[in-house]
Amino acid sequence: SLRVLSGDPARADKPKPIFPDWMTVANFLRAGESGSLPKYVAINPVDRYDSFQIAGPAYLGPSYEPFRVTGDPSRPKFEIPNIGVKAEQFGRLKRRTELRGSLDRFRRDIDQSGLMKAVDDFEAQALSLLTSPAARRAFDLGREPDALRERYGRNQWGQQCLLARRLVEAGVDIVATEFDGPLCGRVSNWDDHAVNHHVFEALAWRAPFFDQAISALIEDVYQRGLDRRVLVVVTGEFGRTPRISNQPSSGGGKASRPKGTRQPGRDHWPRANSMIFAGGGIETGQVIGATDPRGEDPVRRRVSPYDFLATLYQHLGVDTRHTALTDFGGRPVPVLSKGTPIPELTGSA
């Protein structure tokens, strides 16, 4: 995860990232641009797995973290907290803001952690969201026709994708979302070890939700003429073992047989993986690269995680060869240590 999201070259796991993820970097480089909406929104954030933090701002500081949307957008009473303010509440909000300003005497110039800057930035963003009708409209899924909501799927994944489309159409630069939870199966993720899931039953259970949400998103992006500006990328961080293993289940439930029952599963496989790209002005309908017949290793046109990140950065207008960030020690750190944009996608072949 750390390599795919941030380009960390280390092989060992870490409890949290030491390099900022690409979403945060893009948010940082767009800092100061005007607008009532955040530049980076995370709907069901891609940020943790078990006890590991797999994404975050690292040395860029907490003020560049995403605006987080949690919960299930398919629920009838789902609302985004802290979006919009009623007319009768505006006077009270104004008075509280003025009071807060009069009481604030902190020496922000001596703060070395970035925390006070984060407080300022978060407060500014919160006030913008509270007072902006445009922000409230952008986050309001109730404005979408019922037929379109059904097309995406009246479930968490479908409505996450629909909200993502609404936000980029309204001007948000980056939207990240994660497909996990009950739609995955018993253990709420895609880690289909035999102890967790019956791999074939897990895929049969979740694939219809996945296929409907992703196909609707891609179709909607193109129909609305967003396909040159908006790049849709669907990926995990690695593949699964070509060989099926059989182990006793650790518990029964959706897509998992009763505890102790031997069932098929697949383990981690970093040597080969697949990704989906659509939109972004790319030439679609391509299959780039190939593995051997067993699906074990690339045999043609190997693409690395660094090339993947370079492609995303190029789409966002970031020149990874000449852009550096400043770490905690004041040293310049390249946005990406290596990797080149995938020419078949960027048109530079």
Side-chain angles (χ1 to χ4, degrees), residues 212-232:
Q212 182 175 3
I214 295 302
S215 63
L217 174 62
I218 293 172
E219 187 177 74
D220 205 9
V221 163
Y222 277 84
Q223 287 180 348
R224 291 171 182 270
L226 300 171
D227 52 287
R228 297 203 65 82
R229 181 170 71 87
V230 178
L231 177 65
V232 179

CSV table of all heavy atoms in Angstrom, one decimal, residues 212-232:
chain,number,residue,atom,x,y,z
A,212,GLN,N,-21.6,-3.0,-11.0
A,212,GLN,CA,-22.6,-2.0,-11.2
A,212,GLN,C,-22.1,-0.6,-10.9
A,212,GLN,O,-22.3,0.3,-11.7
A,212,GLN,CB,-23.9,-2.3,-10.4
A,212,GLN,CG,-25.0,-1.4,-10.6
A,212,GLN,CD,-26.3,-1.7,-9.9
A,212,GLN,OE1,-26.3,-2.7,-9.1
A,212,GLN,NE2,-27.3,-1.0,-10.1
A,213,ALA,N,-21.5,-0.5,-9.8
A,213,ALA,CA,-21.0,0.9,-9.3
A,213,ALA,C,-20.0,1.4,-10.3
A,213,ALA,O,-20.0,2.6,-10.7
A,213,ALA,CB,-20.4,0.8,-7.9
A,214,ILE,N,-19.0,0.6,-10.7
A,214,ILE,CA,-17.9,1.1,-11.5
A,214,ILE,C,-18.3,1.4,-12.9
A,214,ILE,O,-18.0,2.4,-13.5
A,214,ILE,CB,-16.7,0.1,-11.5
A,214,ILE,CG1,-16.1,0.0,-10.1
A,214,ILE,CG2,-15.6,0.5,-12.5
A,214,ILE,CD1,-15.6,1.3,-9.5
A,215,SER,N,-19.2,0.5,-13.5
A,215,SER,CA,-19.7,0.7,-14.8
A,215,SER,C,-20.5,2.0,-14.9
A,215,SER,O,-20.5,2.7,-15.8
A,215,SER,CB,-20.4,-0.5,-15.3
A,215,SER,OG,-21.6,-0.8,-14.6
A,216,ALA,N,-21.4,2.2,-13.9
A,216,ALA,CA,-22.2,3.4,-13.8
A,216,ALA,C,-21.4,4.6,-13.7
A,216,ALA,O,-21.7,5.6,-14.4
A,216,ALA,CB,-23.2,3.3,-12.7
A,217,LEU,N,-20.3,4.6,-12.9
A,217,LEU,CA,-19.5,5.8,-12.8
A,217,LEU,C,-18.8,6.1,-14.1
A,217,LEU,O,-18.8,7.3,-14.5
A,217,LEU,CB,-18.4,5.5,-11.7
A,217,LEU,CG,-17.3,6.6,-11.5
A,217,LEU,CD1,-18.0,7.9,-11.1
A,217,LEU,CD2,-16.3,6.1,-10.5
A,218,ILE,N,-18.2,5.2,-14.7
A,218,ILE,CA,-17.5,5.4,-16.0
A,218,ILE,C,-18.5,5.9,-17.1
A,218,ILE,O,-18.2,6.9,-17.8
A,218,ILE,CB,-16.8,4.1,-16.5
A,218,ILE,CG1,-15.6,3.8,-15.5
A,218,ILE,CG2,-16.2,4.3,-17.9
A,218,ILE,CD1,-14.9,2.5,-15.7
A,219,GLU,N,-19.6,5.3,-17.2
A,219,GLU,CA,-20.6,5.7,-18.1
A,219,GLU,C,-21.1,7.1,-17.9
A,219,GLU,O,-21.2,7.9,-18.8
A,219,GLU,CB,-21.8,4.7,-18.0
A,219,GLU,CG,-22.9,4.8,-19.0
A,219,GLU,CD,-24.0,3.8,-18.9
A,219,GLU,OE1,-24.8,3.9,-17.9
A,219,GLU,OE2,-24.0,2.8,-19.7
A,220,ASP,N,-21.3,7.4,-16.6
A,220,ASP,CA,-21.8,8.7,-16.2
A,220,ASP,C,-20.8,9.8,-16.5
A,220,ASP,O,-21.1,10.9,-17.0
A,220,ASP,CB,-22.2,8.7,-14.7
A,220,ASP,CG,-23.2,9.8,-14.4
A,220,ASP,OD1,-23.8,10.4,-15.3
A,220,ASP,OD2,-23.5,10.0,-13.2
A,221,VAL,N,-19.5,9.5,-16.2
A,221,VAL,CA,-18.5,10.5,-16.5
A,221,VAL,C,-18.4,10.8,-18.0
A,221,VAL,O,-18.3,12.0,-18.4
A,221,VAL,CB,-17.1,9.9,-16.0
A,221,VAL,CG1,-15.9,10.7,-16.7
A,221,VAL,CG2,-17.0,10.0,-14.5
A,222,TYR,N,-18.5,9.8,-18.8
A,222,TYR,CA,-18.5,10.1,-20.3
A,222,TYR,C,-19.8,10.8,-20.8
A,222,TYR,O,-19.7,11.7,-21.6
A,222,TYR,CB,-18.3,8.8,-21.0
A,222,TYR,CG,-16.9,8.3,-21.1
A,222,TYR,CD1,-16.2,7.6,-20.1
A,222,TYR,CD2,-16.1,8.7,-22.2
A,222,TYR,CE1,-14.9,7.3,-20.2
A,222,TYR,CE2,-14.7,8.3,-22.3
A,222,TYR,CZ,-14.2,7.6,-21.3
A,222,TYR,OH,-12.8,7.2,-21.3
A,223,GLN,N,-20.9,10.4,-20.3
A,223,GLN,CA,-22.1,11.0,-20.7
A,223,GLN,C,-22.2,12.5,-20.4
A,223,GLN,O,-22.9,13.3,-21.1
A,223,GLN,CB,-23.3,10.3,-20.2
A,223,GLN,CG,-23.6,8.9,-20.8
A,223,GLN,CD,-24.8,8.1,-20.2
A,223,GLN,OE1,-25.3,8.5,-19.2
A,223,GLN,NE2,-25.2,7.1,-20.9
A,224,ARG,N,-21.6,12.9,-19.3
A,224,ARG,CA,-21.6,14.3,-18.8
A,224,ARG,C,-20.4,15.1,-19.4
A,224,ARG,O,-20.3,16.3,-19.0
A,224,ARG,CB,-21.6,14.3,-17.3
A,224,ARG,CG,-22.8,13.8,-16.7
A,224,ARG,CD,-22.8,13.7,-15.2
A,224,ARG,NE,-24.0,13.1,-14.7
A,224,ARG,CZ,-25.1,13.8,-14.3
A,224,ARG,NH1,-25.0,15.2,-14.4
A,224,ARG,NH2,-26.2,13.3,-13.9
A,225,GLY,N,-19.6,14.5,-20.3
A,225,GLY,CA,-18.5,15.2,-20.9
A,225,GLY,C,-17.4,15.5,-19.9
A,225,GLY,O,-16.6,16.5,-20.2
A,226,LEU,N,-17.3,14.7,-18.9
A,226,LEU,CA,-16.2,14.9,-17.9
A,226,LEU,C,-15.0,14.1,-18.2
A,226,LEU,O,-14.0,14.1,-17.5
A,226,LEU,CB,-16.7,14.6,-16.5
A,226,LEU,CG,-17.9,15.4,-16.0
A,226,LEU,CD1,-18.4,14.8,-14.7
A,226,LEU,CD2,-17.5,16.8,-15.7
A,227,ASP,N,-15.0,13.3,-19.3
A,227,ASP,CA,-14.0,12.2,-19.5
A,227,ASP,C,-12.6,12.7,-19.8
A,227,ASP,O,-11.7,12.0,-19.7
A,227,ASP,CB,-14.5,11.3,-20.6
A,227,ASP,CG,-14.9,12.0,-21.9
A,227,ASP,OD1,-16.0,12.6,-21.9
A,227,ASP,OD2,-14.1,12.0,-22.9
A,228,ARG,N,-12.4,14.0,-20.2
A,228,ARG,CA,-11.1,14.5,-20.5
A,228,ARG,C,-10.5,15.0,-19.2
A,228,ARG,O,-9.3,14.8,-18.9
A,228,ARG,CB,-11.1,15.5,-21.6
A,228,ARG,CG,-11.5,15.0,-22.9
A,228,ARG,CD,-11.0,15.9,-24.0
A,228,ARG,NE,-9.5,15.8,-24.1
A,228,ARG,CZ,-8.8,14.9,-24.8
A,228,ARG,NH1,-9.5,13.9,-25.3
A,228,ARG,NH2,-7.5,14.9,-24.8
A,229,ARG,N,-11.3,15.6,-18.4
A,229,ARG,CA,-10.8,16.2,-17.1
A,229,ARG,C,-10.7,15.1,-16.0
A,229,ARG,O,-9.8,15.2,-15.2
A,229,ARG,CB,-11.7,17.3,-16.6
A,229,ARG,CG,-11.3,18.0,-15.3
A,229,ARG,CD,-12.1,19.2,-15.0
A,229,ARG,NE,-13.5,18.9,-14.7
A,229,ARG,CZ,-13.8,18.7,-13.4
A,229,ARG,NH1,-13.0,18.6,-12.4
A,229,ARG,NH2,-15.1,18.5,-13.1
A,230,VAL,N,-11.6,14.2,-16.0
A,230,VAL,CA,-11.7,13.2,-14.9
A,230,VAL,C,-11.1,11.9,-15.3
A,230,VAL,O,-11.6,11.3,-16.2
A,230,VAL,CB,-13.2,13.1,-14.4
A,230,VAL,CG1,-13.2,12.0,-13.3
A,230,VAL,CG2,-13.7,14.4,-14.0
A,231,LEU,N,-10.1,11.5,-14.5
A,231,LEU,CA,-9.5,10.1,-14.7
A,231,LEU,C,-10.0,9.2,-13.6
A,231,LEU,O,-9.8,9.5,-12.4
A,231,LEU,CB,-8.0,10.2,-14.7
A,231,LEU,CG,-7.2,8.9,-14.8
A,231,LEU,CD1,-7.4,8.3,-16.2
A,231,LEU,CD2,-5.7,9.2,-14.5
A,232,VAL,N,-10.6,8.1,-14.0
A,232,VAL,CA,-11.1,7.1,-13.1
A,232,VAL,C,-10.1,6.0,-13.0
A,232,VAL,O,-9.8,5.4,-14.0
A,232,VAL,CB,-12.5,6.6,-13.5
A,232,VAL,CG1,-13.0,5.5,-12.5
A,232,VAL,CG2,-13.5,7.7,-13.6
